[in-house]
Amino acid sequence: MKNKPFSMQVNLDDFIPASPEDKEYLSKMRPSSTFFKDGVKRLLKNKVAATSAFFIIVITISSILIPFFWPYEYEEMLGVTQGGFVDSSYSNLKPFEYGETEQQKIENGEKVFPHIFGTDNHGRDYFIRVVYGTRISLAVGFFASIIVLLLGVTIGSVAGYFGEKIDLIIMRIVDIIYSLPDMLVIILLSVVLKQTLNLEGTFLQAIGGNIISMLIVFGLLYWVSMSRLIRGQILSLREQEYILSAKANGAKASRIIRKHLIPNCISVVIISTCLQIPNAIFTESFLSFMGLGVNAPMPSLGSLASDALNGIYSYPHRLVIPAIVICLIVLSLNLFGDGLRDAFDPKLKH
Amino acid sequence: MHNKSPLIEVKNLKKYFDINVGMFRSKPLKAVDGVSFSINKGETLGLVGESGCGKTTVGRTILHLYTPTDGEIWYNGKQIKNKTDIREFRKKATMVFQDPYSSLDPRMTVSDIIGEPLDINKMYSSKKERRERILELMNHVGLNSEHASRYAHEFSGGQRQRIGIARSLAVNPDFIVCDEPVSALDVSIQAQVINMFEDLQQKLGLTYLFIAHDLLVVRHISDRIAVMYLGKIVELADAAEIYERPLHPYSKALLSAVPVPDPKLARTNNRIMLSGDIPSPLNAPSGCPFRTRCEYATEQCALEPPEFKQVSKGHFVACHKVEEINS
Ligand SMILES: Nc1ncnc2c1ncn2[C@@H]1O[C@H](COP(=O)(O)OP(=O)(O)O)[C@@H](O)[C@H]1O
Ligand code: SF4
Ligand SMILES: [Mg+2]
């Protein structure tokens, strides 16, 4: 039936009862969305978080892959050849400058890989040192957070689940650690551990005593905030009526932990671990800057910045580059962590 | 109408919580202090009282979710004492919770929530049987089978409460403690849910302890009503009897607060205002718990707790001055 323009007549075709197929279609229209799918959708919609994630991935992958094909090594002093004398023309090169022998090669028509960021005062290619520094900083941040995660989750959930006396004792210890000045303890502990740790002959030697002591220090200090968070979560979850309902149906503790507590805590754990990484990277850089970080000649972003202080007036780029990389990593990890939190656990926002 | 043999008997039930006052001292909080009643098969006992008077604690202690401090709980003529009794009892007695939000795990689908009691008690032999049972339960409470794979947060309060009810029916119980199942819901939905409770009772022969904080809600569904104040039952009688002839001053006050739909009646109904707040169960008054707010209180009320005695058939009151007040 054709309607006249502006007529108020109702089109009866719009009121035919839905056929079973129509109903099927309608009920399938809104697929059940899981908590995880929803979260990922929200995360991708957040431009800042998505960009940060992209940055983190690019930086991580390149810090892993670049050393494989880069023609220079991080500890390689380009002016020093076996048996020959030291060619000082390789030290302190500006970006895209070449040493004397390299210039000759270029004149002879050979190709020489450029020193993108120049070289340092020992004639080492600065770019590859920055890449290695990034690698170390990321690794320290990552492993420190894993240690914090394991310690914090275990202790926090013990305190939260058993409560009462155990909780009281653990929380007093947490309070004490909280009240200590972080940096002072970190510096003291890493000095002491550096002296007492004997790694000779173990596989840990390759990593270096300083990094190991740094990881231990992180573990010892930073589990407190994680465990507080987890304890709070478990305490509030324990009061939820669905836990009571499971108990009323005769569920054992293991089932309650597996089916209710862990799935309801996991997003908080992941988010705060993610936010812990930049924290650790920042502290690592700070310690290396103070000379308490990685063993030379291994670079980290902090020690690179620290070394650059000597020639800050002539070669400011050597300070600026690692500083920018630290900023980029810390900033994008923080922004990504914030995005994760907003996407998966908006309640956590203060 | 229903069988007169008691299904649930509660005798002098007490539940004290230890509350820390100061660093190392603790003090008992008498949430439930000597409560006795019985519920017959197929009957509904309404339990009313202000918030904080211990209704939830009564319900949870009956199901042994809290260990009773003292008193006995009998089911079908058998006392529930040890762990095995409790395990068996929990397959026959379940609970519907007050808060439709915190009572459903946000990380589980509707079918997993309803199926949880089945999973815990291994009450099926195949996936198919489990699924069929879940769909049957959803059907009982008026949920669409398409909802089975959804998460609880996608539902309204009323629907969430239906999911909770389906879960409580999963093990085929005889007895359900309904802890204020409608007080978190919109008034327009309350009636629907209460009607559903009645239908289920008819269909499945259930016995209810139906908790509510106002009399209007329980009036409809209850056969008998117990009024609770500060951990004690102060009056217990048939539902109609309590409405027509409340004897305890507290029940009178509660009843006068019930809104009356007819304005003519409302004008003649002098409202009794309760003065002051309900005292904390940590510092309950001596003697009669209600004496701090009772207009008839005398010295005797402060000295000795009133006896919970029968004044007419099936009508129990705990008040020293019932006769004087009601003559
Ligand atoms: N787990 C508990 N620990 C300590 N005190 C509790 C606990 N549960 C309830 N209470 C206290 O017991 C009293 C009665 O509470 P409840 O049974 O929840 O009352 P209602 O359900 O009537 O509102 C309140 O004073 C409450 O603070
Ligand atoms: S016993 Fe006394 S204080 Fe208690 S209700 Fe009766 S009259 Fe009031
Ligand atoms: Mg309650």
Side-chain angles (χ1 to χ4, degrees), chain A residues 211-283:
Chain A
I211 293 190
I212 301 288
S213 69
M214 201 162 3
L215 290 180
I216 294 177
V217 169
F218 276 126
L220 285 180
L221 269 180
Y222 287 142
W223 63 267
V224 287
S225 48
M226 176 71 91
S227 68
R228 250 195 196 179
L229 189 72
I230 299 300
R231 168 183 174 269
Q233 286 282 315
I234 302 251
L235 277 183
S236 77
L237 287 178
R238 257 188 5 168
E239 298 301 313
Q240 299 291 311
E241 286 182 341
Y242 55 82
I243 304 274
L244 213 57
S245 155
K247 278 187 192 154
N249 284 308
K252 298 208 177 65
S254 68
R255 185 190 159 88
I256 291 176
I257 293 174
R258 246 180 330 112
K259 291 277 178 183
H260 297 291
L261 292 184
I262 293 180
N264 280 288
C265 271
I266 194 85
S267 58
V268 176
V269 172
I270 292 175
I271 293 161
S272 49
T273 307
C274 207
L275 287 171
Q276 186 72 51
I277 297 177
N279 210 345
I281 290 179
F282 198 79
T283 314

Side-chain angles (χ1 to χ4, degrees), chain B residues 55-56 98 179-180:
Chain B
K55 306 178 300 290
T56 299
Q98 175 172 3
D179 185 6
E180 302 198 29

Side-chain angles (χ1 to χ4, degrees), chain A residues 19-30:
Chain A
S19 67
E21 293 87 65
D22 290 342
K23 283 184 192 159
E24 180 93 343
Y25 174 72
L26 272 178
S27 69
K28 277 186 185 157
M29 281 273 282
R30 219 186 57 181

Side-chain angles (χ1 to χ4, degrees), chain B residues 98-315:
Chain B
Q98 175 172 3
D99 180 357
Y101 293 89
S102 100
S103 64
L104 307 179
D105 188 333
R107 301 282 183 269
M108 280 174 133
T109 60
V110 171
S111 72
D112 282 340
I113 291 172
I114 298 175
E116 183 169 45
L118 304 173
D119 296 338
I120 292 171
N121 295 305
K122 311 211 168 46
M123 292 179 66
Y124 50 85
S125 49
S126 66
K127 278 252 156 65
K128 186 162 166 281
E129 196 184 327
R130 176 179 186 268
R131 189 172 164 72
E132 272 165 11
R133 175 78 180 131
I134 290 171
L135 290 182
E136 182 193 359
L137 287 164
M138 290 178 70
N139 190 22
H140 270 325
V141 296
L143 285 169
N144 212 320
S145 59
E146 284 143 15
H147 294 154
S149 58
R150 295 271 169 85
Y151 285 78
H153 66 83
E154 300 175 49
F155 295 91
S156 65
Q159 283 173 310
R160 295 177 66 114
Q161 205 54 296
R162 283 167 197 262
I163 299 170
I165 295 166
R167 173 178 60 191
S168 74
L169 293 174
V171 290
N172 256 331
D174 296 335
F175 174 61
I176 302 183
V177 175
C178 312
D179 185 6
E180 302 198 29
V182 297
S183 62
L185 304 182
D186 223 70
V187 180
S188 58
I189 299 166
Q190 289 189 350
Q192 274 178 30
V193 175
I194 290 180
N195 286 338
M196 194 180 72
F197 272 109
E198 287 191 317
D199 292 346
L200 288 170
Q201 183 167 42
Q202 295 271 311
K203 230 189 307 186
L204 306 172
L206 297 167
T207 305
Y208 291 144
L209 172 64
F210 200 97
I211 301 173
H213 67 252
D214 69 82
L215 278 163
L216 196 63
V217 168
V218 284
R219 149 188 240 164
H220 198 60
I221 193 172
S222 306
D223 299 303
R224 285 185 304 141
I225 291 180
V227 179
M228 215 176 152
Y229 188 81
L230 220 57
K232 293 196 163 84
I233 291 183
V234 295
E235 183 162 7
L236 193 161
D238 281 349
E241 169 91 1
I242 278 221
Y243 272 92
E244 278 151 31
R245 224 161 63 87
L247 297 181
H248 194 280
Y250 181 60
S251 317
K252 288 175 194 273
L254 270 190
L255 260 175
S256 77
V258 172
V260 181
D262 185 344
K264 270 186 222 137
L265 270 178
R267 241 171 265 128
T268 59
N269 182 13
N270 341 349
R271 188 148 179 211
I272 307 168
M273 295 300 284
L274 283 178
S275 56
D277 276 332
I278 183 166
S280 155
L282 262 181
N283 303 305
S286 64
C288 171
F290 189 55
R291 72 175 165 83
T292 51
R293 296 163 86 187
C294 178
E295 53 180 310
Y296 309 104
T298 58
E299 217 171 290
Q300 187 198 11
C301 304
L303 291 176
E304 46 190 292
E307 193 192 335
F308 191 53
K309 56 180 185 271
Q310 183 155 327
V311 287
S312 58
K313 189 172 176 305
H315 195 152

